[in-house]
């Protein structure tokens, strides 16, 4: 019987792109009936970045991807799969944003496709990359979370427009035979019975583009904020407990807890329930707002660029979003740290 050597998926590099334009709480005060005080107290968000009018999801994704490739030490030619998670693709529904990003960064004749898992998109992609690599089908998978959320936000709706921002993050996931570099575990799940908690009603097969769609603003994101909030705290906490318990890891041994950046109050409630120290929790929601599928890789990039993320450090990712979807991951940073 032939014996094949086990192969593991490893997190080689991270990159992100943050658009230049800033939308501050003071700007929002001039647009809707809100205050900086309310936004900071209820969400922790001080500002968010918005893409330029002629800057698209693929442009931001391509810039993040380029950086992740440069930092990986792996050449473009070695990449054999490109995956993009987004709910704000360049086009509904073809071509995929992954195809457009591939073209923009000069990767051709390589499998490329998008997935739609809202804020859980990046961790969902990690699970796909792991499966492709550990089955031996692919060696180097480029994964991208990119969103131009401002393209589906109604800037007259104070309950949503204060929350979201634009941006992108990307990572290079590669095959390794070193078990200590490999992902420890990933859990990903969904429950479609909560589909109406977070929804963009149009365009789609239910509501193709029509005058009614435009008149009723069905092309904008709608959210049952308070219900989503409560379920998010419960699910994120349960997810972390399960993945740590299954892998015999104590909360205090996690150097970097990187939750989806939707609302500071959600992160604080989860951190408190898990008895996390403040220095373990990565927080970027104050400056980027909620960037959906880009939120977690943008946060990883922040701790990478500040020198906080060191080679071998264990990262605990935890996310929750439209679908509803949720996912958690435990994995070491297998790239070269910056400092
Ligand atoms: O990324 C995917 C997952 N998404 C999330 O996890 C988001 C979860 N939800 C949230 O973050 C919060 O629910 C929000 C920040 C959206 C809202 O905070 P909340 O504490 O749940 O407030 P609420 O929706 O219960 O509204 C409380 C009050 C309402 O007024 P009344 O009815 O009590 O008079 C709202 O109309 O706050 C009002 N309100 C605002 N006031 C000032 C809602 N938005 C605003 C605003 N400025 N921007």
């Amino acid at each position: 019987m032939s014996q094949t050597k086990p192969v593991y998926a490893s997190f080689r590099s991270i990159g992100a792109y943050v658009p230049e334009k800033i939308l501050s709480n003071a700007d929002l005060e001039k647009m809707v009936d809100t205050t900086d005080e309310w936004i900071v107290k209820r969400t922790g968000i001080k500002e968010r970045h918005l893409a330029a009018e002629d800057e698209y999801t693929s442009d931001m994704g391509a810039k993040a991807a380029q950086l992740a490739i440069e930092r990986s030490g792996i050449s473009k030619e070695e990449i054999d799969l490109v995956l993009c998670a987004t709910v704000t693709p360049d086009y509904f529904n073809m071509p995929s944003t992954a195809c457009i990003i591939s073209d923009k960064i000069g990767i051709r004749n390589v499998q490329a496709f998008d997935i739609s898992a809202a804020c859980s998109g990046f961790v969902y992609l990690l699970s796909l990359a792991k499966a492709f690599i550990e089955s031996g089908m692919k060696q180097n998978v480029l994964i991208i979370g990119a969103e131009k959320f401002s393209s589906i936000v109604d800037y007259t709706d104070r309950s949503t427009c204060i929350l979201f921002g634009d941006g992108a993050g990307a990572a290079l996931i590669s095959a390794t035979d070193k078990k200590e570099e490999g992902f420890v575990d990933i859990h990903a799940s969904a429950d479609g019975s909560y589909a109406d908690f977070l929804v963009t009603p149009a365009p789609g097969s239910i509501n193709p583009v029509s005058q009614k769609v435009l008149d009723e603003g069905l092309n904008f994101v709608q959210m049952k904020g308070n219900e989503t909030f409560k379920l998010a705290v419960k699910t994120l906490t349960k997810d972390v407990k399960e993945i740590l318990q299954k892998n015999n890891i104590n909360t205090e041994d996690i150097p970097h807890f990187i939750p989806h950046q939707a609302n500071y109050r959600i992160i604080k409630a989860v951190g408190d329930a898990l008895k996390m120290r403040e220095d373990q929790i990565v927080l970027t929601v104050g400056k980027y707002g909620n960037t959906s599928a880009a939120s977690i890789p943008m946060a990883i990039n922040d701790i990478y660029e500040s020198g906080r993320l060191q080679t071998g450090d264990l990262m605990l990712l935890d996310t929750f979003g439209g679908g509803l979807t949720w996912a958690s991951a435990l994995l070491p940073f297998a790239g070269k740290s910056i400092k």
Side-chain angles (χ1 to χ4, degrees), residues 28 32-39 41-45 118-120 149 157-164 197-198 223-233 236 260-266 290-293 295 319-322 324-325:
L28 283 161
V32 288
D33 181 16
T34 193
T35 59
D36 171 55
E37 192 197 351
W38 191 96
I39 302 172
K41 197 166 155 211
R42 298 287 183 121
T43 71
I45 302 170
C119 307
S120 307
F149 225 88
D157 174 7
R158 69 175 183 175
S159 70
T160 52
C161 74
I162 56 147
L163 297 172
F164 296 99
F197 273 36
L198 257 161
M223 181 172 69
K224 290 189 177 171
N226 204 263
E227 291 91 328
T228 309
F229 184 104
K230 287 178 195 148
L231 204 55
V233 173
L236 290 167
H260 171 50
Q261 307 285 317
N263 183 322
Y264 172 72
R265 281 163 55 222
I266 296 179
N290 181 349
T291 58
S292 184
S295 133
T319 186
F320 181 89
L324 290 174
T325 55

Side-chain angles (χ1 to χ4, degrees), residues 242-259:
E242 278 174 7
I243 200 167
L244 290 182
Q245 212 164 38
K246 191 175 151 219
N247 293 284
N248 278 319
I249 294 173
N250 295 320
T251 315
E252 59 269 26
D253 298 331
I254 300 292
H256 311 291
F257 174 47
I258 307 162

Side-chain angles (χ1 to χ4, degrees), residues 54-193:
D54 61 352
E55 186 174 43
Y56 310 115
T57 300
S58 64
D59 294 317
M60 295 186 281
K63 284 182 178 148
Q66 197 72 53
L67 205 51
I69 296 168
E70 279 164 27
R71 289 170 174 170
S72 71
I74 287 158
S75 76
K76 262 185 337 202
E77 291 67 34
E78 293 172 275
I79 293 170
D80 48 8
L81 179 61
V82 179
L83 303 173
C84 179
T86 183
V87 287
T88 50
D90 283 12
Y91 298 100
F92 290 89
N93 269 305
M94 62 182 164
S96 73
T97 304
C99 282
I100 300 168
I101 293 173
S102 300
D103 178 52
K104 284 184 175 164
I105 60 179
I107 295 177
R108 289 195 189 86
N109 305 317
V110 161
Q111 185 178 2
F113 61 92
D114 288 357
I115 66 150
S116 166
C119 307
S120 307
F122 187 78
V123 184
Y124 264 53
L125 287 188
L126 285 172
S127 74
L128 278 181
K130 180 178 192 292
F132 271 105
I133 288 171
E134 294 185 358
S135 67
M137 276 182 75
K138 305 288 180 189
Q139 305 294 309
N140 295 297
V141 184
L142 176 62
I143 62 170
I144 305 139
E147 303 282 12
K148 185 171 180 173
F149 225 88
S150 57
S151 65
I152 58 165
V153 165
D154 176 359
Y155 284 96
T156 65
D157 174 7
R158 69 175 183 175
S159 70
T160 52
C161 74
I162 56 147
L163 297 172
F164 296 99
D166 300 336
L172 212 295
I173 312 300
S174 294
T176 179
D177 57 5
K178 298 188 184 81
K179 191 167 193 290
E180 67 279 11
E181 287 185 350
F183 293 6
V184 178
D185 204 359
I186 302 188
H187 293 180
S189 197
D191 186 344
S193 67

Side-chain angles (χ1 to χ4, degrees), residues 14-15 22 25 53 55 57 76 95 132 149 202 234 331:
I14 185 74
I22 290 176
N25 291 349
E53 218 171 299
E55 186 174 43
T57 300
K76 262 185 337 202
F132 271 105
F149 225 88
K234 210 166 103 186
L331 65 168

